[in-house]
Every structure is written in structure tokens, then in C-alpha cells.
Amino acid sequence: MTPLALLALWITIGVFRQGVWSSPQGITVRNAFKKYQAPWSEVESVGQPPEYGAWRNAGIPIRLRDGRRISAALYGAGRGSRPGFADDVISALREDQRRYGTCDSGT
């Protein structure tokens, strides 16, 4: 395989592995090239993704108590995204936050 084909394969695999997972222990966000994990006790809020056109951190924002921010890029608004496209995921994450950690419904 050529280096360009290997790079394309690596990027494709990264894109298809993206997601957000929740468990009683915390939240895991896997973006195309990086994975984040945080226990619920560190999660301050789960917010709405910015409107289409945001260049950085365009996914579901997860703010941690120490000020860091994780962005679930899979849920970034696209040109054809319907309003509220990520609402079900955000609601589920907020419910798990209330159930397993300290609660702040976020913005």
C-alpha cells in the first residue's frame, strides 16, 4: 500500500470509530483522532452544539469542572442538519449525568 492509501485508510477508520458512550463510571468521547474519558463527578454540563459554520469544537460541548471542554465532533452541525438533530443524545447524556454524577443540566 502506498503512504497516501494508508493515510486515507487511517482517516476513514478514525471517522467510523467516532461516538459518545456513557456508563455509570463516566463519559467517553471518541473523535476521529483522539479519545477523551471523564468520570461523571468531573462533568459540569452537556450543552447544545453550535450552529453550522463553527470551525472549532463544533460538536456537543461537554464542560468539565476544571474548565476543560470536550467536544463530541460526531454531533457537529452540518449544512443539512435538521434543528435539534442532537437532542436525543444530549437528553440521554444529561439523564445519565443526573443519575450517576452531580447535576447541572448545562446550556
Side-chain angles (χ1 to χ4, degrees):
M1 259 189 176
T2 68
L4 186 57
L6 286 172
L7 177 63
L9 179 63
W10 180 67
I11 290 171
T12 301
I13 290 170
V15 167
F16 280 102
R17 293 183 71 200
Q18 292 185 95
V20 179
W21 293 269
S22 173
S23 72
Q25 290 73 39
I27 187 169
T28 301
V29 174
R30 183 187 296 273
N31 289 328
F33 305 112
K34 191 163 184 178
K35 178 179 166 182
Y36 303 91
Q37 293 180 296
W40 286 115
S41 61
E42 291 182 18
V43 175
E44 183 175 305
S45 66
V46 177
Q48 294 287 335
E51 292 182 12
Y52 174 72
W55 184 253
R56 294 181 47 114
N57 300 321
I60 295 173
I62 301 160
R63 190 172 45 226
L64 303 181
R65 296 196 184 283
D66 65 4
R68 289 180 296 152
R69 184 175 171 210
I70 298 171
S71 179
L74 177 62
Y75 294 97
R79 188 178 300 259
S81 296
R82 64 177 169 73
F85 70 97
D87 287 354
D88 291 343
V89 173
I90 293 166
S91 293
L93 291 173
R94 287 177 177 170
E95 177 60 32
D96 284 351
Q97 182 186 18
R98 281 189 289 276
R99 183 181 307 142
Y100 302 125
T102 55
C103 176
D104 177 356
S105 62
T107 55

XYZ file of all heavy atoms in Angstrom:
831
model
N 0.836 -1.196 0.000
C 0.000 0.000 0.000
C 0.874 1.249 0.000
O 1.877 1.297 0.688
C -0.859 0.028 1.255
C -2.257 -0.393 1.058
S -3.221 -0.061 2.562
C -4.750 -0.566 1.927
N 0.404 2.230 -0.706
C 1.153 3.482 -0.757
C 0.900 4.279 0.524
O -0.111 4.071 1.199
C 0.723 4.327 -1.968
O -0.615 4.770 -1.758
C 0.824 3.541 -3.271
N 1.794 5.194 0.858
C 1.575 6.020 2.049
C 0.253 6.795 1.998
O -0.423 6.938 3.012
C 2.778 6.966 2.061
C 3.845 6.220 1.337
C 3.126 5.420 0.282
N -0.121 7.260 0.827
C -1.381 8.002 0.694
C -2.584 7.095 0.968
O -3.528 7.491 1.650
C -1.491 8.626 -0.697
C -2.675 9.544 -0.934
C -2.684 10.692 0.081
C -2.656 10.097 -2.340
N -2.544 5.862 0.489
C -3.629 4.912 0.745
C -3.704 4.565 2.232
O -4.804 4.454 2.802
C -3.439 3.655 -0.091
N -2.549 4.404 2.875
C -2.540 4.126 4.310
C -3.113 5.298 5.105
O -3.868 5.095 6.062
C -1.120 3.822 4.785
C -0.579 2.457 4.384
C 0.902 2.349 4.734
C -1.362 1.353 5.051
N -2.762 6.505 4.720
C -3.305 7.694 5.385
C -4.822 7.762 5.221
O -5.552 8.010 6.183
C -2.654 8.959 4.828
C -3.185 10.279 5.382
C -2.925 10.374 6.884
C -2.565 11.453 4.637
N -5.290 7.512 4.009
C -6.740 7.530 3.763
C -7.445 6.457 4.585
O -8.521 6.700 5.141
C -7.020 7.334 2.274
N -6.856 5.288 4.689
C -7.429 4.206 5.484
C -7.471 4.595 6.961
O -8.475 4.386 7.645
C -6.629 2.924 5.289
C -7.097 1.708 6.089
C -8.499 1.299 5.666
C -6.117 0.557 5.903
N -6.383 5.173 7.471
C -6.311 5.603 8.881
C -7.379 6.643 9.178
O -8.069 6.561 10.193
C -4.912 6.141 9.159
C -4.699 6.606 10.553
C -4.679 5.857 11.691
C -4.486 7.952 10.976
N -4.453 6.649 12.791
C -4.324 7.943 12.372
C -4.385 9.164 10.301
C -4.097 9.100 13.105
C -4.142 10.314 11.026
C -4.008 10.276 12.415
N -7.550 7.611 8.302
C -8.568 8.654 8.494
C -9.963 8.039 8.452
O -10.813 8.347 9.289
C -8.410 9.767 7.447
C -7.130 10.562 7.726
C -9.627 10.691 7.434
C -6.750 11.545 6.631
N -10.200 7.161 7.490
C -11.518 6.523 7.364
C -11.867 5.722 8.612
O -12.980 5.813 9.131
C -11.551 5.609 6.125
O -11.273 6.402 4.964
C -12.898 4.928 5.972
N -10.930 4.947 9.117
C -11.178 4.164 10.329
C -11.471 5.091 11.503
O -12.393 4.856 12.287
C -9.988 3.229 10.626
C -9.941 2.115 9.582
C -10.081 2.648 12.037
C -8.683 1.274 9.629
N -10.702 6.172 11.629
C -10.936 7.137 12.707
C -12.319 7.746 12.646
O -13.003 7.883 13.669
N -12.759 8.105 11.462
C -14.086 8.711 11.301
C -15.188 7.720 11.675
O -16.138 8.064 12.374
C -14.269 9.232 9.859
C -15.720 9.577 9.578
C -13.363 10.437 9.612
N -15.051 6.476 11.257
C -16.084 5.484 11.542
C -16.101 5.014 12.995
O -17.089 4.453 13.451
C -15.975 4.281 10.602
C -16.566 4.541 9.259
C -15.762 4.816 8.172
C -17.935 4.553 9.088
C -16.310 5.068 6.929
C -18.506 4.810 7.852
C -17.679 5.074 6.767
N -15.041 5.270 13.747
C -14.993 4.866 15.160
C -15.496 5.954 16.099
O -15.536 5.762 17.311
C -13.565 4.486 15.545
C -13.098 3.219 14.840
C -11.739 2.810 15.283
N -11.833 2.316 16.648
C -10.820 2.221 17.479
N -9.624 2.580 17.099
N -10.977 1.771 18.694
N -15.907 7.103 15.568
C -16.369 8.203 16.417
C -17.633 7.818 17.177
O -18.453 7.043 16.691
C -16.680 9.432 15.571
C -15.463 10.076 14.952
C -15.841 11.338 14.238
O -15.736 12.400 14.818
N -16.303 11.224 13.007
N -17.793 8.411 18.352
C -19.007 8.168 19.108
C -18.926 8.741 20.510
O -17.902 9.278 20.930
N -20.041 8.622 21.216
C -20.144 9.040 22.608
C -20.753 7.869 23.368
O -21.787 7.342 22.972
C -21.055 10.280 22.769
C -21.165 10.679 24.225
C -20.539 11.437 21.940
N -20.082 7.465 24.455
C -20.560 6.361 25.270
C -20.689 6.819 26.712
O -19.865 7.581 27.204
C -19.591 5.186 25.195
C -19.536 4.571 23.839
C -20.293 3.552 23.364
C -18.674 4.963 22.767
N -19.956 3.272 22.060
C -18.969 4.139 21.667
C -17.683 5.942 22.618
C -18.313 4.237 20.453
C -17.037 6.045 21.407
C -17.346 5.207 20.340
N -21.710 6.333 27.354
C -21.976 6.685 28.736
C -22.099 5.408 29.560
O -22.645 4.410 29.088
C -23.286 7.472 28.794
O -23.667 7.704 30.106
N -21.578 5.467 30.784
C -21.691 4.344 31.709
C -21.832 4.929 33.109
O -21.656 6.130 33.298
C -20.444 3.461 31.624
O -19.339 4.119 32.219
N -22.129 4.100 34.094
C -22.194 4.622 35.466
C -20.875 5.263 35.920
O -20.867 6.139 36.771
C -22.516 3.383 36.306
C -23.228 2.472 35.366
C -22.575 2.703 34.033
N -19.759 4.866 35.318
C -18.463 5.412 35.712
C -18.177 6.780 35.088
O -17.410 7.563 35.631
C -17.329 4.456 35.316
C -17.303 3.189 36.135
C -18.428 2.224 35.765
O -18.769 2.061 34.595
N -19.030 1.607 36.769
N -18.745 7.064 33.920
C -18.463 8.347 33.277
C -18.813 8.358 31.808
O -19.587 7.540 31.327
N -18.192 9.283 31.119
C -18.474 9.502 29.710
C -17.192 9.306 28.907
O -16.108 9.647 29.365
C -19.060 10.918 29.500
C -19.530 11.102 28.069
C -18.072 11.998 29.899
C -20.349 12.363 27.868
N -17.341 8.715 27.727
C -16.230 8.538 26.806
C -16.618 9.163 25.484
O -17.696 8.894 24.959
C -15.919 7.041 26.590
O -15.590 6.458 27.851
C -14.770 6.848 25.623
N -15.745 10.003 24.960
C -15.949 10.636 23.659
C -14.793 10.213 22.770
O -13.631 10.416 23.116
C -15.989 12.178 23.771
C -16.066 12.817 22.392
C -17.141 12.623 24.641
N -15.111 9.605 21.654
C -14.073 9.238 20.693
C -14.306 10.065 19.434
O -15.310 9.914 18.757
C -14.116 7.760 20.355
C -12.971 7.362 19.410
C -13.102 5.939 18.929
N -13.003 4.965 19.984
C -11.868 4.433 20.437
N -10.728 4.830 19.926
N -11.882 3.533 21.385
N -13.374 10.972 19.172
C -13.381 11.739 17.933
C -12.492 11.008 16.931
O -11.947 9.953 17.231
C -12.904 13.167 18.184
C -13.936 13.960 18.972
O -15.133 13.745 18.846
N -13.471 14.869 19.806
N -12.343 11.543 15.745
C -11.600 10.845 14.698
C -10.175 10.511 15.121
O -9.671 9.441 14.792
C -11.597 11.677 13.419
N -9.527 11.400 15.875
C -8.121 11.188 16.182
C -7.789 11.181 17.669
O -6.631 11.016 18.033
C -7.275 12.259 15.499
C -7.518 12.313 14.020
C -8.131 13.404 13.447
C -7.164 11.251 13.213
C -8.378 13.440 12.089
C -7.408 11.282 11.849
C -8.012 12.379 11.281
N -8.764 11.364 18.525
C -8.476 11.429 19.950
C -9.665 10.900 20.753
O -10.808 11.087 20.377
C -8.177 12.868 20.370
C -7.619 12.965 21.761
C -6.951 14.290 22.002
C -6.351 14.256 23.381
N -5.642 15.428 23.731
N -9.346 10.267 21.888
C -10.366 9.727 22.784
C -10.266 10.449 24.123
O -9.173 10.681 24.632
C -10.106 8.235 22.974
C -11.043 7.542 23.920
C -10.663 6.070 23.982
C -11.300 5.359 25.118
N -10.895 3.953 25.184
N -11.420 10.823 24.670
C -11.496 11.501 25.959
C -12.357 10.669 26.898
O -13.365 10.105 26.470
C -12.152 12.879 25.827
C -11.479 13.798 24.851
C -11.858 13.837 23.520
C -10.470 14.651 25.267
C -11.253 14.681 22.625
C -9.855 15.513 24.377
C -10.249 15.523 23.058
O -9.640 16.373 22.173
N -11.984 10.644 28.170
C -12.791 9.986 29.189
C -12.850 10.888 30.406
O -11.857 11.533 30.756
C -12.194 8.643 29.575
C -12.250 7.627 28.455
C -11.653 6.303 28.865
O -10.465 6.218 29.155
N -12.489 5.274 28.878
N -14.014 10.938 31.046
C -14.161 11.730 32.263
C -15.198 11.063 33.158
O -16.253 10.635 32.676
C -14.601 13.151 31.934
N -14.926 10.960 34.458
C -15.948 10.458 35.376
C -17.060 11.493 35.509
O -16.842 12.695 35.312
C -15.186 10.274 36.693
C -13.986 11.133 36.590
C -13.663 11.271 35.140
N -18.253 11.041 35.843
C -19.393 11.959 35.964
C -19.146 13.048 36.996
O -19.626 14.166 36.846
C -20.675 11.197 36.294
C -21.197 10.454 35.103
C -21.300 9.104 34.955
C -21.662 11.019 33.885
N -21.796 8.789 33.725
C -22.040 9.958 33.041
C -21.803 12.313 33.414
C -22.542 10.142 31.760
C -22.304 12.509 32.133
C -22.674 11.440 31.328
N -18.375 12.755 38.018
C -18.109 13.761 39.049
C -17.330 14.956 38.494
O -17.335 16.024 39.094
C -17.349 13.139 40.215
O -16.102 12.633 39.771
N -16.681 14.800 37.340
C -15.933 15.898 36.720
C -16.746 16.653 35.673
O -16.318 17.702 35.196
C -14.661 15.370 36.076
C -13.621 14.896 37.062
C -12.346 14.435 36.382
O -12.119 14.794 35.200
O -11.583 13.710 37.021
N -17.896 16.120 35.285
C -18.693 16.749 34.225
C -19.568 17.837 34.833
O -20.383 17.580 35.712
C -19.563 15.705 33.489
C -20.473 16.381 32.469
C -18.673 14.661 32.824
N -19.389 19.052 34.354
C -20.188 20.178 34.825
C -21.468 20.334 34.016
O -22.537 20.550 34.562
C -19.374 21.468 34.745
C -20.103 22.676 35.294
C -19.215 23.900 35.308
O -18.129 23.834 35.904
O -19.617 24.910 34.711
N -21.362 20.234 32.683
C -22.558 20.399 31.853
C -22.377 19.758 30.488
O -21.261 19.535 30.027
C -22.890 21.886 31.681
O -21.873 22.536 30.943
N -23.515 19.459 29.869
C -23.575 18.958 28.499
C -24.440 19.947 27.744
O -25.596 20.173 28.106
C -24.195 17.543 28.446
C -24.329 17.068 27.011
C -23.387 16.561 29.283
N -23.876 20.572 26.717
C -24.594 21.632 26.020
C -25.049 21.257 24.622
O -24.887 20.121 24.178
N -25.622 22.226 23.937
C -26.059 22.087 22.548
C -24.894 22.406 21.619
O -24.109 23.311 21.894
C -27.200 23.065 22.256
C -28.479 22.795 22.999
C -29.205 21.585 22.447
O -29.055 21.216 21.288
N -29.979 20.950 23.297
N -24.771 21.691 20.496
C -23.705 22.025 19.557
C -23.969 23.391 18.911
O -25.132 23.785 18.754
C -23.766 20.912 18.517
C -25.104 20.303 18.653
C -25.570 20.563 20.055
N -22.912 24.123 18.565
C -23.110 25.407 17.901
C -23.720 25.212 16.519
O -23.677 24.116 15.955
C -21.707 25.999 17.811
C -20.768 24.878 18.036
C -21.511 23.814 18.781
N -24.277 26.268 15.984
C -24.884 26.205 14.651
C -23.826 25.916 13.596
O -22.633 26.112 13.818
C -25.576 27.528 14.331
C -26.786 27.787 15.194
C -27.490 29.078 14.817
O -27.177 29.650 13.759
O -28.344 29.503 15.592
N -24.280 25.495 12.437
C -23.394 25.207 11.318
C -22.522 26.428 11.020
O -22.987 27.557 11.049
C -24.206 24.844 10.071
C -23.351 24.683 8.851
C -22.513 23.582 8.717
C -23.357 25.633 7.850
C -21.718 23.434 7.606
C -22.564 25.493 6.733
C -21.746 24.384 6.614
O -20.947 24.249 5.504
N -21.263 26.176 10.760
C -20.333 27.249 10.438
C -19.246 27.413 11.477
O -18.224 28.030 11.220
N -19.441 26.840 12.676
C -18.387 26.909 13.693
C -17.198 26.093 13.190
O -17.359 24.982 12.690
C -18.897 26.357 15.016
N -16.029 26.638 13.327
C -14.844 25.980 12.786
C -14.229 24.990 13.769
O -13.865 23.894 13.414
C -13.822 27.047 12.395
C -12.619 26.466 11.733
C -11.381 26.340 12.279
C -12.534 25.885 10.434
N -10.523 25.738 11.395
C -11.214 25.452 10.246
C -13.443 25.689 9.412
C -10.775 24.849 9.080
C -13.004 25.087 8.245
C -11.695 24.680 8.094
N -14.132 25.362 15.026
C -13.513 24.501 16.032
C -14.540 24.111 17.095
O -15.446 24.867 17.384
C -12.352 25.216 16.710
C -11.184 25.497 15.798
C -10.077 26.172 16.564
N -9.829 25.481 17.814
C -8.719 24.839 18.115
N -7.751 24.809 17.271
N -8.577 24.243 19.279
N -14.326 22.944 17.684
C -15.198 22.474 18.768
C -16.670 22.564 18.385
O -17.482 23.094 19.125
C -14.922 23.253 20.055
C -13.496 23.106 20.514
O -12.922 22.030 20.421
N -12.908 24.175 20.982
N -16.978 22.049 17.215
C -18.314 22.208 16.666
C -19.306 21.142 17.131
O -20.470 21.224 16.802
C -18.245 22.200 15.136
N -18.882 20.167 17.893
C -19.777 19.110 18.328
C -20.478 19.432 19.637
O -20.511 20.572 20.089
N -21.049 18.398 20.259
C -21.703 18.570 21.558
C -20.632 18.981 22.570
O -19.671 18.248 22.781
C -22.378 17.261 22.015
C -23.525 16.894 21.074
C -22.865 17.389 23.454
C -24.136 15.537 21.364
N -20.785 20.146 23.207
C -19.785 20.565 24.190
C -20.042 19.938 25.558
O -21.153 19.984 26.077
C -19.958 22.087 24.243
C -21.384 22.311 23.871
C -21.764 21.192 22.936
N -19.011 19.365 26.113
C -19.067 18.789 27.449
C -18.053 19.559 28.288
O -16.846 19.477 28.032
C -18.757 17.285 27.417
C -19.776 16.584 26.524
C -18.739 16.703 28.824
C -19.351 15.244 26.011
N -18.557 20.345 29.217
C -17.682 21.189 30.041
C -17.357 20.456 31.333
O -18.241 19.941 32.013
C -18.359 22.526 30.328
C -17.412 23.532 30.963
C -18.001 24.913 31.082
N -19.359 24.889 31.578
C -20.361 25.583 31.042
N -20.170 26.343 30.006
N -21.566 25.512 31.557
N -16.067 20.420 31.669
C -15.617 19.773 32.891
C -15.445 20.808 33.995
O -15.271 22.000 33.733
C -14.305 19.033 32.640
C -14.342 17.983 31.524
C -12.988 17.302 31.389
C -15.436 16.961 31.747
N -15.487 20.366 35.218
C -15.422 21.271 36.374
C -14.105 22.044 36.463
O -14.062 23.127 37.016
C -15.655 20.488 37.659
C -17.050 19.899 37.702
C -17.469 19.451 39.065
N -18.770 18.814 38.996
C -19.933 19.446 38.888
N -19.959 20.750 38.835
N -21.071 18.775 38.820
N -13.040 21.504 35.894
C -11.754 22.210 35.936
C -11.597 23.215 34.791
O -10.536 23.798 34.609
C -10.596 21.219 35.948
C -10.489 20.397 34.663
O -11.266 20.633 33.712
O -9.626 19.500 34.613
N -12.670 23.404 33.998
C -12.644 24.391 32.924
C -12.352 23.816 31.548
O -12.558 24.492 30.537
N -11.881 22.589 31.485
C -11.632 21.987 30.174
C -12.950 21.728 29.460
O -13.996 21.610 30.078
C -10.865 20.671 30.312
C -9.429 20.866 30.739
C -8.710 19.542 30.853
N -9.339 18.751 31.916
C -9.363 17.435 31.957
N -8.818 16.724 30.993
N -9.943 16.802 32.967
N -12.861 21.607 28.157
C -14.044 21.359 27.343
C -13.738 20.232 26.371
O -12.705 20.247 25.714
C -14.400 22.625 26.578
C -15.652 22.492 25.795
C -16.004 23.823 25.168
N -17.098 23.611 24.251
C -17.309 24.315 23.180
N -16.520 25.313 22.888
N -18.320 24.050 22.398
N -14.632 19.277 26.316
C -14.548 18.180 25.362
C -15.646 18.431 24.331
O -16.762 18.798 24.676
C -14.794 16.825 26.056
C -13.727 16.559 27.114
C -14.842 15.703 25.030
C -14.039 15.352 27.984
N -15.323 18.211 23.074
C -16.319 18.378 22.022
C -16.528 17.036 21.330
O -15.578 16.443 20.825
C -15.840 19.417 21.007
O -16.778 19.577 19.981
N -17.765 16.546 21.318
C -18.096 15.306 20.621
C -18.336 15.664 19.151
O -19.438 16.009 18.737
C -19.326 14.651 21.233
N -17.274 15.588 18.355
C -17.287 16.090 16.985
C -18.297 15.389 16.088
O -18.794 15.983 15.135
C -15.888 15.979 16.386
N -18.627 14.153 16.391
C -19.591 13.421 15.568
C -20.916 14.173 15.472
O -21.613 14.088 14.464
C -19.825 12.024 16.159
C -20.856 11.141 15.460
C -20.429 10.846 14.027
C -21.045 9.854 16.230
N -21.243 14.931 16.495
C -22.510 15.646 16.531
C -22.355 17.120 16.195
O -23.125 17.952 16.659
C -23.174 15.452 17.902
C -23.575 14.018 18.100
C -22.752 13.147 18.802
C -24.734 13.519 17.541
C -23.089 11.819 18.952
C -25.078 12.193 17.676
C -24.251 11.346 18.388
O -24.578 10.024 18.527
N -21.393 17.460 15.361
C -21.266 18.825 14.864
C -22.333 19.078 13.808
O -22.655 18.204 13.003
N -22.894 20.279 13.808
C -23.950 20.616 12.845
C -23.378 20.682 11.435
O -22.344 21.292 11.196
C -24.587 21.948 13.221
N -24.054 20.047 10.529
C -23.684 20.103 9.112
C -24.647 20.985 8.351
O -25.665 21.440 8.881
N -24.318 21.228 7.112
C -25.142 22.099 6.272
C -26.592 21.618 6.211
O -27.513 22.407 6.211
C -24.546 22.167 4.878
C -25.191 23.163 3.972
C -24.513 23.194 2.623
N -23.112 23.562 2.723
C -22.641 24.769 2.448
N -23.449 25.714 2.066
N -21.361 25.011 2.561
N -26.808 20.319 6.193
C -28.167 19.794 6.075
C -28.772 19.295 7.381
O -29.802 18.626 7.369
N -28.159 19.608 8.508
C -28.671 19.123 9.794
C -30.017 19.752 10.121
O -30.201 20.949 9.981
C -27.685 19.448 10.917
O -26.474 18.780 10.735
N -30.938 18.927 10.559
C -32.237 19.455 10.973
C -32.099 20.084 12.357
O -31.227 19.681 13.133
C -33.290 18.356 10.980
C -33.026 17.258 11.971
C -34.134 16.216 11.996
N -33.754 15.062 12.743
C -33.643 14.990 14.069
N -33.881 16.042 14.811
N -33.299 13.884 14.665
N -32.933 21.046 12.692
C -32.888 21.624 14.045
C -33.120 20.525 15.092
O -33.981 19.667 14.922
C -34.040 22.633 14.037
C -34.254 22.962 12.593
C -33.919 21.702 11.838
N -32.337 20.561 16.136
C -32.493 19.582 17.200
C -31.938 18.214 16.883
O -32.281 17.235 17.556
N -31.067 18.107 15.874
C -30.571 16.805 15.427
C -29.849 16.013 16.520
O -29.827 14.797 16.477
C -29.642 16.965 14.218
C -28.317 17.605 14.549
C -27.207 16.821 14.779
C -28.204 18.976 14.646
C -25.994 17.410 15.100
C -27.002 19.574 14.960
C -25.890 18.787 15.189
N -29.296 16.689 17.511
C -28.552 16.000 18.569
C -29.328 15.939 19.885
O -28.791 15.488 20.900
C -27.207 16.692 18.782
N -30.576 16.381 19.889
C -31.344 16.480 21.134
C -31.478 15.160 21.888
O -31.389 15.126 23.115
C -32.737 17.057 20.869
C -32.702 18.543 20.562
O -31.611 19.160 20.676
O -33.759 19.090 20.199
N -31.700 14.057 21.177
C -31.869 12.760 21.850
C -30.590 12.349 22.578
O -30.642 11.850 23.711
C -32.260 11.668 20.850
C -33.660 11.862 20.291
O -34.448 12.629 20.887
O -33.972 11.244 19.252
N -29.451 12.568 21.939
C -28.175 12.208 22.558
C -27.914 13.106 23.762
O -27.508 12.630 24.831
C -27.018 12.325 21.534
C -25.674 12.111 22.201
C -27.227 11.334 20.399
N -28.158 14.397 23.624
C -27.944 15.343 24.722
C -28.848 15.001 25.898
O -28.408 14.982 27.049
C -28.165 16.788 24.243
C -27.072 17.157 23.238
C -28.183 17.763 25.406
C -27.361 18.417 22.456
N -30.107 14.694 25.632
C -31.038 14.317 26.707
C -30.570 13.066 27.437
O -30.625 13.003 28.670
C -32.440 14.087 26.139
O -32.983 15.278 25.662
N -30.102 12.080 26.694
C -29.622 10.844 27.315
C -28.376 11.106 28.171
O -28.256 10.567 29.283
C -29.317 9.802 26.240
N -27.466 11.945 27.671
C -26.264 12.259 28.447
C -26.613 13.028 29.713
O -26.065 12.760 30.787
C -25.269 13.050 27.602
C -24.610 12.288 26.465
C -23.779 13.232 25.609
C -23.762 11.144 26.999
N -27.529 13.979 29.605
C -27.933 14.752 30.791
C -28.637 13.864 31.810
O -28.448 14.023 33.018
C -28.820 15.925 30.382
C -28.040 17.022 29.695
C -28.945 18.131 29.249
N -28.188 19.220 28.644
C -28.742 20.223 27.993
N -30.058 20.291 27.874
N -27.995 21.171 27.466
N -29.441 12.932 31.335
C -30.106 11.993 32.248
C -29.079 11.131 32.976
O -29.172 10.930 34.185
C -31.086 11.109 31.474
C -31.759 10.057 32.321
C -32.578 10.638 33.465
O -33.132 11.741 33.319
O -32.666 9.974 34.523
N -28.075 10.646 32.247
C -27.020 9.860 32.892
C -26.215 10.708 33.863
O -25.806 10.232 34.921
C -26.101 9.230 31.850
C -26.748 8.041 31.175
O -27.824 7.599 31.625
O -26.174 7.542 30.189
N -26.012 11.965 33.530
C -25.305 12.870 34.446
C -26.090 13.017 35.745
O -25.529 12.959 36.830
C -25.088 14.231 33.788
C -24.328 15.199 34.672
C -24.240 16.577 34.064
O -24.996 16.920 33.162
N -23.340 17.380 34.574
N -27.404 13.197 35.636
C -28.244 13.294 36.838
C -28.230 11.986 37.633
O -28.204 11.985 38.853
C -29.680 13.659 36.462
C -29.876 15.119 36.162
C -31.338 15.461 36.006
N -31.904 14.925 34.773
C -31.833 15.522 33.582
N -31.211 16.667 33.460
N -32.384 14.988 32.521
N -28.263 10.877 36.927
C -28.329 9.562 37.571
C -27.018 9.185 38.249
O -27.017 8.651 39.348
C -28.683 8.511 36.521
C -28.838 7.121 37.086
C -29.171 6.081 36.020
N -30.326 6.493 35.253
C -30.446 6.300 33.930
N -29.500 5.727 33.242
N -31.530 6.699 33.305
N -25.894 9.464 37.592
C -24.614 8.934 38.067
C -23.675 9.975 38.682
O -22.716 9.613 39.336
C -23.857 8.271 36.934
C -24.617 7.149 36.288
C -24.846 7.138 34.924
C -25.107 6.078 37.030
C -25.537 6.105 34.312
C -25.791 5.056 36.438
C -26.007 5.065 35.073
O -26.688 4.054 34.476
N -23.914 11.231 38.447
C -22.972 12.236 38.929
C -23.692 13.405 39.545
O -24.881 13.367 39.798
N -22.965 14.445 39.806
C -23.588 15.667 40.296
C -24.220 16.372 39.122
O -23.725 16.307 38.003
C -22.552 16.559 40.989
O -21.484 16.794 40.089
C -22.037 15.900 42.253
N -25.295 17.070 39.335
C -26.144 17.546 38.249
C -26.007 19.036 37.992
O -26.069 19.844 38.891
C -27.597 17.217 38.556
S -28.725 17.860 37.327
N -25.861 19.377 36.720
C -26.031 20.716 36.183
C -26.490 20.494 34.761
O -25.730 19.969 33.959
C -24.726 21.521 36.227
C -24.872 22.898 35.613
O -25.951 23.201 35.080
O -23.897 23.645 35.662
N -27.687 20.826 34.428
C -28.234 20.493 33.115
C -27.517 21.217 31.990
O -27.618 20.829 30.844
C -29.722 20.793 33.057
O -29.950 22.161 33.264
N -26.770 22.257 32.260
C -25.965 22.913 31.243
C -26.768 23.752 30.293
O -27.968 23.874 30.376
N -26.033 24.358 29.383
C -26.672 25.191 28.348
C -26.208 24.735 27.001
O -25.247 24.057 26.859
C -26.317 26.666 28.553
O -24.886 26.799 28.575
C -26.911 27.213 29.805
